[in-house]
Amino acid sequence: MLKNNSDLPVGAVCVADVQLKGRGRSSNLWQSPKGCLLFSFSIQMEDGRVVPHLQYVVCLAMTEAIKAICLEKGMPHLDVRIKWPNDLYLGGLKVGGILSTSVYRSKKFYVSAGVGLNVGNEKPTTCLNATLKRVNPLSRELKREDIIAAFFNKFENLYDVFLKQGFQALEELYYQTWLHSGQRVIVQERSDDQDQFVENVVTIQGLTSSGYLLGITDDGQMCELHPDGNSFDFFKGLIKRKMI
């Protein structure tokens, strides 16, 4: 709806109860049953250099929203973490994902940010409310409308900081929330003759200015890491694009 109706006002939000043809990275398709919070919203941006960071701001707004609701309502803390580049994890299992797409016209980027969060359906993995019940069987349940309201309250503030000060102003909070600081990962890249893959181990340091992972090899070389686009195992399938 948002993609095909560019005359909708900036900030328009589309919410769905179920999803039959959701889009993921690398054109993956998702089906989402009732119990999930599913919405997309529109944003206009002028600086294309910072558009890739928007999905990180969206991820951060959602983790901060969940944290705020649990605190406000006296619920057990849910340690929802960010798995780079755009997934939300709880207790080692995926509970949500974010995807931002954009088109450029009239000197502006028209961005559609989509969010999916498993609030009340614990299949096929788990959901927020199931985790709350395991921690405290008497706990109240989270409601989708409360989460989306808290999300936009958090996003508005974080997005304002992002536009005025850059993502650097949010990096400390982001690194407190993501899963990867100091993580050692295996980088796969083709050998010079292109016949086989060579594996190297790098340690994650943070994000580069372009929004990719910054890693350092055991011999001290800095490199930028890109996702392979379709790997379910973060410890494999990263491609070292260039040394920096």
Side-chain angles (χ1 to χ4, degrees), residues 19 23 30 32 36-40 58 62 86-88 94-99 113-119:
Q19 182 174 238
R23 288 184 57 197
W30 292 89
S32 304
C36 298
L37 172 60
L38 309 163
F39 66 97
S40 296
V58 176
M62 183 56 76
N86 59 352
D87 289 334
L88 300 176
K94 181 175 177 176
V95 293
I98 284 86
L99 182 69
V115 179
L117 181 69
N118 204 346
V119 179

Side-chain angles (χ1 to χ4, degrees), residues 38-218:
L38 309 163
F39 66 97
S40 296
F41 62 101
S42 61
I43 308 170
Q44 277 185 15
M45 303 180 70
E46 296 183 358
D47 188 351
R49 295 170 298 179
V50 301
V51 170
H53 289 85
L54 179 65
Q55 63 181 337
Y56 306 149
V57 181
V58 176
C59 286
L60 191 54
M62 183 56 76
T63 58
E64 289 296 295
I66 295 169
K67 186 189 306 180
I69 293 176
C70 290
L71 182 62
E72 176 187 339
K73 297 184 178 296
M75 297 176 175
H77 172 66
L78 292 176
D79 189 24
V80 179
R81 308 295 291 273
I82 299 169
K83 175 178 176 285
W84 186 85
N86 59 352
D87 289 334
L88 300 176
Y89 269 60
L90 177 61
L93 297 172
K94 181 175 177 176
V95 293
I98 284 86
L99 182 69
S100 295
T101 59
S102 65
V103 294
Y104 183 74
R105 63 177 180 273
S106 302
K107 298 182 179 180
K108 291 183 179 179
F109 290 88
Y110 292 79
V111 183
S112 176
V115 179
L117 181 69
N118 204 346
V119 179
N121 190 320
E122 60 184 308
K123 294 181 179 180
T125 56
T126 189
C127 65
L128 302 186
N129 284 333
T131 303
L132 283 173
K133 291 297 184 182
R134 282 196 294 271
V135 176
N136 180 2
L138 300 178
S139 174
R140 300 162 60 185
E141 290 191 342
L142 289 166
K143 296 181 179 180
R144 295 186 305 158
E145 54 267 33
D146 290 339
I147 297 176
I148 194 172
F151 167 82
F152 280 110
N153 283 335
K154 292 294 182 181
F155 178 78
E156 185 174 13
N157 292 331
L158 293 173
Y159 186 63
D160 187 58
V161 173
F162 173 55
L163 289 183
K164 292 179 178 178
Q165 304 178 42
F167 188 73
Q168 293 83 356
L170 302 175
E171 278 189 343
E172 182 177 354
L173 181 60
Y174 182 83
Y175 292 148
Q176 291 173 4
T177 309
W178 81 337
L179 293 167
H180 310 302
S181 293
Q183 183 178 7
R184 291 174 65 80
V185 299
I186 297 173
V187 176
Q188 292 182 334
E189 56 184 345
R190 289 194 178 276
S191 59
D192 292 338
D193 57 15
Q194 300 292 306
D195 289 336
Q196 58 186 352
F197 282 100
V198 176
E199 293 188 346
N200 294 296
V201 177
V202 302
T203 302
I204 303 302
Q205 301 293 300
L207 295 173
T208 67
S209 59
S210 55
Y212 294 108
L213 286 180
L214 176 64
I216 184 171
T217 64
D218 288 342

